[in-house]
Amino acid sequence: MDEHNDTPSIGELVEQRLGRRDAMRGLLGAVAAFSVPASANAQTGGPSSLTFKELAHTLDRNQHVAEGYDVQVLIRWGDPVTAGAPAFDPAKLSAADQEKQFGYNNDYLGLHPVPAGSTAGDRFLLVANHEYINSNLMFAGLGAGRDANLKTSKAQVEIEMAAVGGAVVEIARENGAWKVVPDSKFARRVTAATPMDISGPAAGHDLMKTSADPSGAKVLGMLNNCAGGATPWGTWLTCEENFDVYFGGDATQLLQPMSRRYGVGRAAAYGWPRHVDRFNLGKEPNEPNRFGWVVEIDPYDPAAAPVKRTALGRFKHEGCTYVLAKDGRVVLYSGDDERFEYVYRFVTAKPWNPNDRAANKDLLDDGTLSVARFNADGKVEWLPLVQGQGPLTAENGFASQGDVVIKARLAADLLKPTPMDRPEDIETNPANGRVYVVLTNNGQRKAEQVDRANPRAGNDHGHILEIAPKDGDHAAAEGTWSIFLLAGKPGQDAGARYHRATSDNGWLSCPDNIAFDSKGRIWIVTDGAPSAAGVADGVYGADTTGFGRALTRCFYQAPTGAEVCGPIFTPDDSTLFLAIQHPGEDSGSTYEKPSTRWPDFKDGMPPRPAVVAITKKGGGAIGS
Ligand code: FEO
Ligand code: CA
Ligand code: CA
């Protein structure tokens, strides 16, 4: 723990946030967490249960993993996905080819066993989100800088529209190595043009209607799918995050204040509105209302249309991860990743049916969306966003539940939830049932905006909260919360706080996605490491309980420009898959002169976002 931090001591925090009885329990936990045990880990000399030799912080053109581990590139941008896909040739890109090839900027990764329900652990459908594009690293001649991505031609925009969305790839392990199964019957690409259904309270709403879709219930494509999740019945939830960046043009017809609240109407980041009418706000002012949703896709049925599940609300969803309530209802946590935005939870109206997959088909259309308020006394309250309840009335602009979900940010504002430091991944630790809320950073928080759950002004490094639902029930209306760690460099960045044995290489900045191994240890990946300090984005493992709690240790460092996304373990913990997104996204980096040519390192070959598989040399569980 940093002795020079400007936040209260752990004891003070516990006293302030919990009642007396809970304070005693919490304090005992805190003492255990921040003490060095009598017998330290023999291999590392510290109290962590993780036995790998910690990797040094580094920043160069290549990736690095801890000694004793192998890292294999599984699939890259442009590699074949569906039958008949051509091999990747960066000089001959076309939309028709890209629709059959792995997309750009892989983010969320999910594993769905093949066959469905199998526990063999050596064959899966790997689902991947393709969040966005770096036009100037995909195409020659666009140059560098902010405007480079706006210079694309119509043909290039069509390639970009085919490069985002998602992919389903069948993978199998043979002789210890993972391979993509060619011509799998499950293989699929989903793009910005794939026909999708809109279901739930917003379907058919006037704000969802466009000239191409007077029904307001059919949409082409999904945008900026960042992280995601799964359902107990084996579907993939893929989440639309910064959808606004694809829209531009005359904003005068946009509905206000909603559009401002979502950032719609600001200048486009890409050339799409110049070439495709539906991204031009002057021509289709309702089209952006059809994005910002959680999309459910059945990876086992390539013919099934993806469905936008509007009951889960419209915002800039990072991910959407499930856990079961005590009564079998499905609880889904989702963060809205923008500065001062909120943490949400959706609870289905009915329990899921483990015996009849088809019975769960529309389960996500009916339930209660809530938003979180993190009180200073350590309590978290879930505030329901239900039309007709409290301030969510027609007089306030919410005449239907459709209004509530389409304008979820505005509805939430009225309930006074806690504005957070950019909520990214939210995941439940299967070992202790606690929910971990990753807050990546918020440099814009001012001193007068600080609260207990977002305790730092100018929070450039982010932090992670830990929620314990009341009575262990994720559908409960409340729970308690505490801080798991405050990121940044201990001794340098004000308030940085981990286990006191965290090393010079173990600190991290800008946590984004997390995964838990089967022992309940947290694996944190980052997006925004301080390159000036020679630190790449990476992977950090830590115990969540016991003597090594919050003792983060560096396990992997990405190539320059890349963030690390999509961490997911095989059920036996023997493989950790990672999505390495936007390698080479550095200032001044261009197609012609990229800052790295990872992973191919061939002249003329641009950097390629790719999925990697990390395994232990000789086999066994990662981290052991
Ligand atoms: Fe796409 Fe919230 O990161
Ligand atoms: Ca993210
Ligand atoms: Ca991020």
Side-chain angles (χ1 to χ4, degrees):
M1 195 164 77
D2 176 23
E3 292 174 355
H4 307 286
N5 71 54
D6 61 0
T7 54
S9 72
I10 190 81
E12 287 167 335
L13 287 170
V14 169
E15 291 266 357
Q16 286 159 357
R17 291 174 195 177
L18 305 175
R20 175 163 288 278
R21 190 169 58 89
D22 284 343
M24 286 308 294
R25 198 168 62 213
L27 194 57
L28 290 171
V31 169
F34 287 86
S35 299
V36 177
S39 65
N41 180 317
Q43 279 177 270
T44 64
S48 173
S49 74
L50 294 160
T51 57
F52 62 85
K53 184 180 170 201
E54 190 171 19
L55 182 68
H57 279 155
T58 185
L59 179 62
D60 61 32
R61 294 176 180 199
N62 214 340
Q63 61 181 351
H64 303 272
V65 68
E67 198 177 297
Y69 289 82
D70 289 319
V71 53
Q72 172 205 345
V73 175
L74 178 67
I75 188 166
R76 304 158 292 188
W77 168 46
D79 282 338
V81 171
T82 58
F88 181 65
D89 181 347
K92 292 183 188 162
L93 302 180
S94 76
D97 290 349
Q98 178 65 82
E99 281 169 10
K100 299 175 185 166
Q101 297 167 326
F102 202 59
Y104 205 79
N105 275 348
N106 35 214
D107 197 299
Y108 172 78
L109 301 176
L111 293 173
H112 299 259
V114 178
S118 167
T119 54
D122 56 6
R123 187 172 286 260
F124 295 95
L125 300 181
L126 174 79
V127 301
N129 288 359
H130 296 301
E131 185 178 9
Y132 69 99
I133 55 264
N134 292 85
S135 315
N136 71 327
L137 297 177
M138 295 171 71
F139 308 116
L142 297 181
R146 224 180 138 70
D147 295 339
N149 291 348
L150 295 166
K151 296 178 186 164
T152 40
S153 67
K154 186 164 197 287
Q156 288 171 329
V157 166
E158 285 167 354
I159 294 166
E160 292 183 336
M161 289 177 61
V164 299
V168 179
V169 178
E170 186 175 352
I171 61 170
R173 179 161 45 189
E174 289 170 23
N175 303 319
W178 289 95
K179 292 197 177 93
V180 173
V181 176
D183 302 330
S184 165
K185 66 178 181 183
F186 300 110
R188 180 176 194 180
R189 276 298 324 282
V190 177
T191 73
T194 302
M196 306 192 175
D197 295 332
I198 297 169
S199 74
H205 192 288
D206 282 349
L207 286 171
M208 302 291 275
K209 294 173 181 169
T210 64
S211 55
D213 173 31
S215 76
K218 299 272 178 194
V219 61
L220 295 179
M222 56 186 196
L223 293 177
N224 225 88
N225 294 70
C226 189
T231 62
W233 51 96
T235 57
W236 164 29
L237 300 178
T238 170
C239 299
E240 297 181 311
E241 195 190 44
N242 297 313
F243 59 91
D244 54 304
V245 300
Y246 303 91
F247 294 89
D250 179 3
T252 53
Q253 292 181 73
L254 293 177
L255 183 70
Q256 299 298 3
M258 177 183 79
S259 298
R260 261 194 308 279
R261 188 69 182 77
Y262 283 83
V264 174
R266 297 187 293 218
Y270 297 102
W272 297 21
R274 284 192 295 112
H275 299 299
V276 184
D277 282 354
R278 68 187 171 105
F279 298 109
N280 186 323
L281 298 167
K283 295 179 178 168
E284 289 293 348
N286 278 352
E287 186 72 1
N289 304 341
R290 294 141 63 83
F291 297 87
W293 302 104
V294 174
V295 185
E296 184 177 15
I297 299 177
D298 187 348
Y300 297 101
D301 183 0
V307 185
K308 297 199 176 186
R309 299 291 181 188
T310 65
L312 281 73
R314 174 171 168 263
F315 46 92
K316 295 181 183 177
H317 288 272
E318 166 70 19
C320 188
T321 61
Y322 88 88
V323 64
L324 294 179
K326 284 189 170 174
D327 60 7
R329 286 180 293 162
V330 182
V331 179
L332 294 138
Y333 292 103
S334 192
D336 184 354
D337 180 10
E338 208 153 36
R339 294 177 187 88
F340 303 108
E341 291 300 337
Y342 308 132
V343 165
Y344 294 83
R345 184 187 78 174
F346 181 80
V347 183
T348 56
K350 293 183 193 148
W352 83 289
N353 186 337
N355 304 313
D356 180 3
R357 188 171 191 250
N360 304 305
K361 190 170 150 288
D362 295 319
L363 199 70
L364 299 184
D365 286 342
D366 194 7
T368 304
L369 180 67
S370 303
V371 63
R373 184 190 293 151
F374 294 87
N375 293 322
D377 64 358
K379 189 202 255 188
V380 55
E381 295 176 84
W382 294 102
L383 314 166
L385 292 162
V386 178
Q387 195 278 331
Q389 287 187 17
L392 302 182
T393 59
E395 300 77 66
N396 286 334
F398 302 99
S400 66
Q401 189 62 18
D403 287 329
V404 171
V405 295
I406 294 168
K407 302 183 272 189
R409 282 182 167 185
L410 290 172
D413 289 344
L414 296 180
L415 300 178
K416 306 217 176 328
T418 306
M420 309 299 287
D421 287 345
R422 290 187 57 196
E424 297 254 26
D425 209 353
I426 305 174
E427 304 256 354
T428 304
N429 184 342
N432 64 15
R434 293 189 174 193
V435 183
Y436 293 73
V437 180
V438 182
L439 302 156
T440 196
N441 60 52
N442 181 359
Q444 293 175 10
R445 186 176 291 272
K446 298 187 175 69
E448 63 269 25
Q449 295 171 304
V450 160
D451 58 48
R452 286 291 176 193
N454 300 276
R456 290 190 288 186
N459 180 10
D460 291 329
H461 301 286
H463 57 289
I464 300 179
L465 299 184
E466 194 178 35
I467 296 175
K470 189 174 187 185
D471 301 325
D473 188 353
H474 292 269
E478 62 182 63
T480 55
W481 66 270
S482 58
I483 289 178
F484 179 68
L485 64 77
L486 291 155
K489 185 174 185 179
Q492 173 184 296
D493 298 314
R497 197 179 78 223
Y498 309 77
H499 190 291
R500 67 185 178 194
T502 297
S503 80
D504 270 357
N505 292 308
W507 63 272
L508 59 98
S509 180
C510 304
D512 191 324
N513 296 123
I514 53 175
F516 294 94
D517 63 27
S518 59
K519 294 186 174 79
R521 296 180 297 207
I522 191 170
W523 296 77
I524 304 161
V525 307
T526 71
D527 172 18
S531 54
V535 184
D537 278 314
V539 181
Y540 299 80
D543 294 322
T544 54
T545 55
F547 293 123
R549 178 178 152 91
L551 202 178
T552 47
R553 308 186 72 235
C554 184
F555 181 68
Y556 172 89
Q557 292 274 273
T560 184
E563 69 168 290
V564 183
C565 308
I568 188 165
F569 288 91
T570 49
D572 62 1
D573 294 339
S574 65
T575 303
L576 172 61
F577 293 99
L578 302 173
I580 308 306
Q581 183 172 180
H582 54 76
E585 187 186 80
D586 287 297
S587 161
S589 187
T590 61
Y591 180 93
E592 291 79 9
K593 287 193 175 172
S595 58
T596 177
R597 292 189 187 276
W598 185 87
D600 301 280
F601 294 111
K602 284 188 189 148
D603 287 347
M605 185 63 83
R608 299 167 77 184
V611 175
V612 302
I614 297 176
T615 50
K616 196 173 182 180
K617 287 185 195 295
I622 304 268
S624 104

